[in-house]
């Protein structure tokens, strides 16, 4: 018998042949004889911050009418820590009318996405983004993605240290290729690709996307442990002592494929402040050389760590770093502070956290979020931060302006912290239909009616103000991090969802699947059983996920079986 050596995936061949991400991107975008791009350019465009797709709402009708799909592009910004200025916001707001679908979409990784851009607009659009001193380079693709840290603009030494590290890592891992400038900004070859180098990534870049987040136990609002690399600083008061580096978080799965699984990062080592950038580089190189380049479904760092074990991971990391590493320090319980509403920043100024349902900035019925936000930002020119739970923080506000700002929001019918329930606040939904090519079911578009149902049910059982994180996605890829919430609702087939329960609010425990295909219309009935049981059995202050973890998922399933007997979705 001969050993079969697996071939690298096609994506690897495309990267290798691309001359550091150039390929035919520019040529194909300039071809106005059609509105699409080839499969190879589709792969390369990701590194430039864009996904090519089509409008899924109209695809079937158009096919019946013998028409082509309506092709369009999504564009994502890279915005470390979710930070942008008022001027940049206002330009993005203009650009979404000029080139996209008139909405800005805050993502679960603290940045903006734009949807429905047509091919001929791609070059002027990305150029205009860069003219506003923002970028889309490496917002997607097999590279280090947007780096997350808490959006809270607290002015103390601790937050400054975290922010400085975030920016240092973002700079360190930015791709070095000039392709981006050539294609989107200068429009000509300024560097010979033969002489170029990617010192960290090499010609093949990484086997897959790579995500980094920094959290400290008192603020894990970025769900750090779901990242390939989670960095946890330890402070003594305001003095930094060092960092735990935790490897191998990641959430994407395929339904019914047990060899794909969500995983939380494992603490591997404790490192000194001066070593954190080199150790992070060592982690990225470990994944670069050991991630599975033959199968993209198996290519994330989580599989390298899980399959080789902690000892191997630690030893291999030491060999890349070049020095022995210390054991990780024990970590305390994580917390997730509420960044919405008014908060004093520590320098006499204030920030206001504004809830944006599913991060979609648009005028919706009486709630004119886009117009109201624009007006407030135009008037007060404050700095802004986007959060990992799809909200926006308006920063550096003078106490004297607080009342007028609230009045402006009220005038536009915008719901603020005090106008929404806890479950509204902590319910994340991914984009899903109609733009996401992977969506099996709806998420963002059905979120608000579902929240309204949930609120009624929770109120009926007297648990409306309990903190419960619900995360809903249109497919099992996990973009709204459904496997770490108290409750995960994951698209299974059109209109049907798999249900996961028993994670924790703090993002440190995975939940468990209990149901496979619940129709959307049956979700309220299911929640009614969940919350009746929870209200009766919970301890004071106990979250839903913690309750389920204590009583066991079998107990919840038994409740469902006795109260929804005969329901097809229980089988
Ligand atoms: Fe995601 C792919 C949207 C955060 C795991 N994600 C996609 C694509 C690009 C669909 C595609 O590949 O064709 C989605 C674009 C939809 C659209 O129409 O806009 C998409 N992901 C999003 C966003 C916008 C969700 C949101 O509602 O905010 C988030 C953008 C983040 C950003 O700004 O960079 C987003 N995606 C996540 C997260 C959460 C996180 O990173 O904290 C995850 C889970 C963590 C992880 O990476 O494991 C996530 N997205 C995935 C996966 C599964 C990856 C895997 O290892 O299996 C895919 C599919 C893929 O990569 O092949 C995916
Ligand atoms: Fe699309 Fe699935 Fe991600 Fe939702 S979870 S945005 S449906 S890839």
């Amino acid at each position: 018998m001969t050993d079969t050596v697996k071939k690298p995936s096609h994506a690897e061949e495309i990267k290798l042949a691309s001359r550091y991400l150039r390929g035919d991107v520019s040529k194909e975008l300039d071809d106005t004889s059609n509105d699409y791009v080839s499969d190879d350019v589709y792969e390369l465009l990701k590194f430039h911050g864009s996904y090519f797709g089509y409008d899924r709402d109209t695809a079937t009708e158009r096919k019946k009418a013998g028409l082509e799909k309506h092709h369009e592009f999504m564009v994502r910004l890279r915005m470390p820590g979710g930070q942008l200025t008022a001027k940049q916001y206002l330009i993005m707001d203009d650009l979404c009318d000029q080139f996209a679908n008139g909405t800005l979409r805050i993502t679960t990784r603290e940045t903006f996405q734009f949807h429905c851009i047509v091919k001929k607009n791609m070059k002027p659009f990305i150029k205009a983004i860069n003219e506003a001193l923002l970028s889309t380079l490496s917002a997607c693709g097999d590279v280090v993605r947007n780096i997350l840290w808490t959006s809270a603009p607290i002015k103390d030494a601790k937050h400054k240290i975290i922010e400085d590290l975030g920016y240092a890592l973002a700079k360190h891992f930015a791709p070095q290729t000039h392709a981006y400038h050539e294609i989107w900004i200068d429009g000509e070859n300024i560097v010979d690709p033969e002489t170029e180098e990617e010192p960290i990534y090499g010609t093949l870049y990484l086997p897959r996307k790579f995500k980094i987040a920094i959290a400290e136990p008192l603020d894990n609002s970025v769900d750090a442990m779901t990242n390939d690399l989670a960095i946890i600083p330890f402070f003594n008061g305001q003095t930094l002592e060092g960092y735990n580096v935790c490897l191998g978080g990641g959430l994407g799965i395929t339904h019914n494929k047990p060899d794909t699984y969500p995983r939380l990062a494992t603490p591997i080592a404790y490192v000194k402040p001066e070593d954190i950038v080199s150790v992070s580089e060592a982690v990225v190189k470990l994944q670069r050389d050991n991630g599975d380049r033959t199968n993209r479904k198996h290519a994330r760092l989580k599989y390298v760590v899980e399959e080789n074990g902690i000892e191997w991971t630690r030893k291999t990391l030491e060999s890349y770093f070049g020095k022995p590493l210390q054991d990780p320090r024990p970590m305390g319980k994580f917390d997730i502070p509420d960044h919405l509403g008014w908060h004093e920043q520590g320098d006499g100024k204030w920030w206001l956290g504004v809830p944006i349902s599913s991060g979609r900035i648009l005028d919706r019925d009486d709630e004119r979020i886009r117009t109201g936000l624009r007006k407030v930002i135009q008037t007060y020119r404050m700095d802004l931060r986007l959060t990992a739970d799809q909200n926006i923080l308006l920063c550096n506000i003078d106490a004297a302006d607080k009342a007028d700002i609230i009045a402006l929001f009220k005038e536009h019918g915008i719901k603020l912290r005090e106008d929404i329930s806890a479950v509204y606040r902590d319910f994340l939904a991914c984009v899903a239909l109609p733009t996401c090519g992977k969506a099996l079911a709806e998420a963002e578009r059905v979120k608000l009616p579902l929240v309204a149902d949930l609120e009624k049910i929770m109120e009926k059982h007297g648990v409306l103000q309990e903190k419960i994180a619900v995360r809903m996605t249109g497919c099992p890829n996990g973009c709204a991090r459904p496997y770490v919430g108290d409750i995960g609702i994951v698209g299974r087939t059109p209109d049907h969802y798999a249900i996961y329960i028993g994670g924790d609010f703090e993002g440190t425990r995975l939940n468990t699947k209990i149901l496979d295909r619940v129709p959307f219309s049956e979700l309220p009935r299911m929640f009614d059983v969940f919350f009746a049981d929870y209200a009766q059995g919970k301890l004071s202050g106990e979250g839903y996920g913690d309750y389920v973890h204590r009583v066991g998922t079998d107990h919840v399933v038994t409740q469902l079986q006795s109260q929804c007997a005969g329901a097809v979705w229980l089988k």
Side-chain angles (χ1 to χ4, degrees):
M1 248 179 32
T2 51
D3 277 350
T4 44
V5 178
K6 285 199 200 149
K7 250 179 77 186
S9 68
H10 185 49
E12 295 300 313
E13 293 166 19
I14 297 170
K15 286 184 273 181
L16 185 62
S18 75
R19 293 166 294 119
Y20 293 109
L21 310 181
R22 289 171 178 82
D24 285 336
V25 172
S26 189
K27 193 168 126 203
E28 289 198 15
L29 287 176
D30 288 342
D31 178 0
T32 50
S33 67
N34 61 55
D35 64 353
Y36 51 83
V37 291
S38 65
D39 291 351
D40 286 15
V41 166
Y42 163 88
E43 284 299 335
L44 293 175
L45 264 176
K46 295 182 192 172
F47 293 81
H48 298 265
S50 176
Y51 275 77
F52 169 63
Y54 61 93
D55 176 13
R56 297 192 51 195
D57 278 349
T58 56
T60 312
E61 280 308 306
R62 288 177 73 91
K63 193 171 177 190
K64 277 189 205 150
L67 295 170
E68 278 280 320
K69 288 169 181 152
H70 179 77
H71 291 116
E72 56 195 24
F73 295 77
M74 175 273 271
V75 167
R76 186 184 289 165
L77 299 187
R78 176 171 46 91
M79 200 186 279
Q83 303 192 8
L84 79 165
T85 63
K87 188 172 171 198
Q88 287 170 328
Y89 179 93
L90 295 170
I91 297 173
M92 295 307 110
D93 185 72
D94 286 340
L95 293 181
C96 83
D97 268 341
Q98 204 182 335
F99 295 114
N101 65 351
T103 74
L104 290 165
R105 174 59 158 71
I106 305 171
T107 75
T108 52
R109 292 191 73 80
E110 302 182 339
T111 187
F112 278 134
Q113 277 190 184
F114 298 82
H115 289 104
C116 310
I117 300 119
V118 293
K119 185 171 156 183
K120 72 172 168 42
N121 282 338
M122 282 292 283
K123 280 196 174 178
F125 178 43
I126 293 187
K127 186 169 187 180
I129 288 172
N130 280 271
E131 279 164 0
L133 303 182
L134 289 167
S135 176
T136 64
L137 174 62
S138 78
C140 319
D142 299 341
V143 281
V144 171
R145 299 285 189 90
N146 201 38
I147 295 181
L148 304 189
W149 62 91
T150 176
S151 313
I154 297 171
K155 304 290 184 220
D156 63 8
K158 206 156 108 169
H159 285 79
K160 174 87 172 69
I161 288 165
I162 293 175
E163 180 176 291
D164 286 351
L165 175 62
Y167 275 119
L169 292 173
K171 189 164 173 227
H172 194 73
F173 291 117
Q176 299 299 301
T177 175
H178 287 83
Y180 186 80
H181 264 73
E182 286 169 26
I183 296 170
W184 310 105
I185 301 162
D186 298 300
E188 57 188 47
N189 265 16
I190 45 174
V191 169
D192 176 2
E194 298 299 320
T195 65
E196 267 193 316
E197 251 188 86
E198 284 283 8
I200 297 175
Y201 297 126
T203 45
L204 288 173
Y205 292 82
L206 299 179
R208 205 63 165 84
K209 57 178 80 168
F210 191 98
K211 297 182 173 176
I212 303 180
I214 312 164
E216 51 120 13
L218 295 179
D219 188 347
N220 185 33
S221 51
V222 294
D223 272 339
M225 304 310 268
T226 63
N227 285 254
D228 296 85
L229 169 59
I231 300 177
I232 317 296
F234 287 84
F235 290 97
N236 182 358
Q238 292 287 319
T239 308
L240 176 68
E241 295 184 326
Y243 299 94
N244 265 2
V245 289
C246 312
L247 272 63
L251 298 181
I253 62 167
T254 306
H255 285 303
N256 287 341
K257 289 249 170 12
D259 52 344
T260 65
Y261 43 82
R263 189 178 190 283
L264 294 181
T266 311
I268 296 289
Y270 175 78
V271 307
K272 293 196 211 113
E274 60 272 26
D275 289 334
I276 187 65
V277 174
S278 328
V279 171
S280 302
E281 182 178 320
V283 177
V284 170
K285 286 180 168 166
L286 181 155
Q287 159 66 357
R288 179 194 66 191
D289 300 343
N290 293 281
D292 185 349
R293 289 184 187 263
T294 67
N295 174 3
R296 288 181 70 75
K297 291 262 174 218
H298 183 249
R300 296 288 294 272
L301 179 62
K302 63 180 174 181
Y303 298 114
V304 176
V305 174
E306 186 65 29
E307 289 165 19
N308 292 290
I310 308 302
E311 264 320 295
W312 177 93
T313 305
R314 167 100 175 259
K315 286 265 159 305
T316 313
L317 186 59
E318 281 177 344
S319 71
Y320 280 95
F321 176 52
K323 281 190 269 179
L325 291 162
Q326 289 181 43
D327 284 344
R329 274 207 200 173
M331 296 191 289
K333 194 169 157 44
F334 280 30
D335 198 6
I336 307 225
D338 182 0
H339 295 316
L340 295 183
W342 286 111
H343 300 262
E344 212 269 334
Q345 298 181 167
D347 61 354
K349 302 235 178 181
W350 293 76
W351 93 77
L352 175 67
V354 181
I356 309 289
S357 179
S358 304
R360 185 69 69 176
I361 300 181
L362 89 168
D363 290 350
R364 189 188 291 117
D365 305 325
D366 293 340
E367 199 184 10
R368 290 178 300 129
I369 298 182
R370 188 168 160 223
T371 310
L373 262 180
R374 190 179 169 93
K375 178 92 187 159
V376 169
I377 294 166
Q378 213 164 24
T379 312
Y380 295 94
R381 316 293 290 192
M382 64 275 281
D383 290 331
L384 303 159
R385 296 191 180 191
L386 309 182
T387 72
D389 55 0
Q390 305 171 316
N391 297 315
I392 189 164
L393 310 184
L394 279 49
C395 311
N396 303 328
I397 296 173
D398 287 329
D401 294 331
K402 284 169 67 180
D404 291 345
I405 288 173
I406 293 296
L408 268 176
F409 277 119
K410 298 280 172 211
E411 204 178 286
H412 289 84
I414 296 173
K415 292 193 179 78
L416 294 173
R417 171 72 189 86
E418 57 279 15
D419 306 315
I420 59 171
S421 64
V423 69
Y424 184 116
R425 180 192 60 201
D426 296 314
F427 193 124
L428 303 185
C430 76
V431 179
L433 294 164
T435 53
C436 179
K438 311 266 189 213
L440 305 171
E442 297 278 358
E444 182 186 322
R445 292 200 294 197
V446 296
K447 177 202 151 173
L448 283 175
L450 185 57
V451 168
D453 283 342
L454 263 171
E455 284 171 338
K456 281 187 219 129
I457 296 164
M458 291 175 75
E459 188 159 29
K460 178 171 120 190
H461 297 297
V463 293
L464 184 57
Q465 283 316 323
E466 298 298 336
K467 282 207 296 192
I468 294 178
V470 186
R471 277 100 183 268
M472 180 174 204
T473 57
C475 87
N477 279 321
C479 299
R481 299 186 286 269
Y483 312 117
V484 281
D486 294 273
I487 300 174
I489 307 171
V490 177
R492 180 75 176 84
T493 57
D495 218 29
H496 290 72
Y497 296 86
I499 303 299
Y500 293 72
I501 55 173
D504 61 357
F505 191 83
E506 293 76 25
T508 53
R509 186 176 61 233
L510 293 173
N511 46 29
T512 308
K513 181 170 165 181
I514 57 157
L515 295 167
D516 190 44
R517 279 169 207 251
V518 185
F520 181 75
S521 58
E522 289 283 78
L523 291 176
R525 188 169 162 210
M526 179 197 78
F527 282 129
D528 197 40
V529 176
F530 284 4
F531 292 122
D533 174 55
Y534 169 59
Q536 217 177 29
K538 78 181 188 59
L539 304 175
S540 163
E542 190 175 37
Y544 182 69
D546 289 341
Y547 167 71
V548 171
H549 187 65
R550 179 168 61 80
V551 299
T553 49
D554 286 352
H555 164 82
V556 180
V557 172
T558 308
Q559 295 292 313
L560 285 166
Q561 279 162 346
S562 74
Q563 290 174 55
C564 304
V568 185
W569 44 272
L570 275 176
K571 291 189 188 122

